[in-house]
Amino acid sequence: EVLLVESGGGLVQPGGSLRLSCAASGFTVSDNFMSWVRQAPGKGLEWVSIIYSGGNTYYADSVKGRFTISRDNSKNTVYLQMNTLRPEDAAVYYCTRAMEGIAGGLGFDYWGQGTLVIVSS
Amino acid sequence: DIQMTQSPSSLSASVGDRLTITCRASQTINNYLNWYQQKPGKAPKLLIYAASALQSGVPSRFSGSGSGTDFTLTISSLQPEDFATYYCQQSYSISRTFGQGTKVEI
């Protein structure tokens, strides 16, 4: 069974840092594209970042230069290091697995339960 | 970035209704369009990928169509468990942008 379990959310002051973890089971993270998606309270879904199976990483403009996606193959875990946090980064952060076709993406087929990040003084 | 625009933003419907939600991309995305369903307090669920492919386990009353810039999600006969918010997403570009969502209410 495929499972994604996020952790690491919490309350942080503006300008602070937080590292989110996504522990995967039932498949190998390094063989797949993995992505983070966030949802601010009462708002829609916002794509945040993706790490390809080959290791390339990409970010939304809103987080570029502040967030870093990475993975630990030995732990089958994906991370999102979030620095210089702003109030507008407050959201539920979801870890997802991205299905990939030959020439493009095919959607995020598995999602974690989400972890809440609150940015407030 | 590719912008995704859904319409309507919300709608009211009844059990048994046929429902159509549209999604328009700001540039061509071929058929790299996905649809998700989200219920309150839950993670989104993938319904349709590649514009018209039904994800495993999703009821056949859900269907998708379109190519290029214009896409639709259709629910042939709305069931009580279908009242939720629906999102489209393009996976043509690296930035996998979502539409703003369509809330389906009773």
Side-chain angles (χ1 to χ4, degrees):
Chain A
E1 181 191 10
V2 170
L3 270 180
L4 296 170
V5 179
E6 302 100 333
S7 60
L11 174 63
V12 61
Q13 292 186 341
S17 298
L18 215 52
R19 188 178 82 157
L20 306 183
S21 300
C22 170
S25 56
F27 71 100
T28 301
V29 156
S30 60
D31 289 341
N32 287 269
F33 289 26
M34 299 295 295
S35 189
W36 289 92
V37 175
R38 69 184 181 184
Q39 186 170 37
K43 302 297 184 182
L45 302 172
E46 180 186 14
W47 174 80
V48 173
S49 181
I50 193 166
I51 182 167
Y52 286 5
S53 53
N56 289 357
T57 60
Y58 302 92
Y59 302 91
D61 287 344
S62 57
V63 306
K64 200 173 296 182
R66 300 188 298 123
F67 289 13
T68 303
I69 189 172
S70 63
R71 69 186 182 216
D72 184 331
N73 297 342
S74 67
K75 296 182 178 179
N76 210 35
T77 297
V78 178
Y79 302 98
L80 186 68
Q81 177 67 44
M82 305 186 295
N83 297 331
T84 320
L85 281 160
R86 305 167 179 167
E88 56 264 35
D89 295 319
V92 173
Y93 283 73
Y94 294 102
C95 173
T96 73
R97 187 178 79 168
M99 294 196 296
E100 293 300 309
I102 294 172
L106 299 177
F108 297 163
D109 61 345
Y110 288 97
W111 296 64
Q113 84 286 355
T115 187
L116 178 62
V117 173
I118 302 170
V119 184
S120 174
S121 54
Chain B
D1 284 359
I2 299 174
Q3 307 303 317
M4 307 301 295
T5 304
Q6 288 181 234
S7 60
S9 296
S10 65
L11 64 91
S12 296
S14 300
V15 173
D17 283 354
R18 181 182 179 86
L19 198 66
T20 298
I21 298 169
T22 65
C23 179
R24 174 165 289 176
S26 59
Q27 65 183 73
T28 183
I29 57 171
N30 294 341
N31 70 332
Y32 290 104
L33 191 282
N34 314 303
W35 290 99
Y36 299 86
Q37 176 194 67
Q38 187 181 32
K39 297 181 180 179
K42 300 293 187 182
K45 172 186 173 183
L46 179 64
L47 299 176
I48 302 281
Y49 63 92
S52 61
L54 197 65
Q55 175 67 350
S56 176
V58 174
S60 58
R61 64 180 179 272
F62 291 92
S63 63
S65 65
S67 185
T69 60
D70 295 311
F71 303 86
T72 61
L73 171 71
T74 300
I75 308 174
S76 59
S77 177
L78 203 60
Q79 298 301 300
E81 61 268 28
D82 300 336
F83 291 94
T85 301
Y86 294 85
Y87 295 91
C88 64
Q89 178 208 29
Q90 64 81 20
S91 48
Y92 178 81
S93 74
I94 292 172
S95 297
R96 308 286 173 94
T97 44
F98 290 89
Q100 81 279 15
T102 296
K103 187 173 184 179
V104 176
E105 299 175 296
I106 300 173

